[in-house]
Amino acid sequence: MSAPNKTKRHIRVSVPDEPPQLTPDAARVLLRMLLAARFRPGSKYEHKQEDNE
């Protein structure tokens, strides 16, 4: 989504050298989110998987 006046905007992101530890509960929630996104109706990945069979 672009800005109405189509000007470029810069965003500065600071990331740590090492990723934070993922707790088992957080990993479980992340997995559920990824699976839900992958298999939702109309997902481009859902159709791609069907084409490969």
Side-chain angles (χ1 to χ4, degrees):
M1 186 183 231
S2 62
N5 60 4
K6 299 191 186 229
T7 59
K8 291 185 179 180
R9 294 183 180 184
H10 297 278
I11 298 172
R12 186 176 300 245
V13 178
S14 176
V15 295
D17 292 334
E18 301 263 338
Q21 272 194 331
L22 193 60
T23 65
D25 288 336
R28 194 173 297 113
V29 170
L30 180 58
L31 180 60
R32 284 183 189 164
M33 289 171 34
L34 292 172
L35 289 173
R38 180 175 173 91
F39 294 111
R40 74 174 182 243
S43 169
K44 67 178 181 178
Y45 299 108
E46 180 181 40
H47 300 294
K48 189 180 217 182
Q49 186 178 27
E50 292 171 1
D51 294 340
N52 289 336
E53 291 181 4

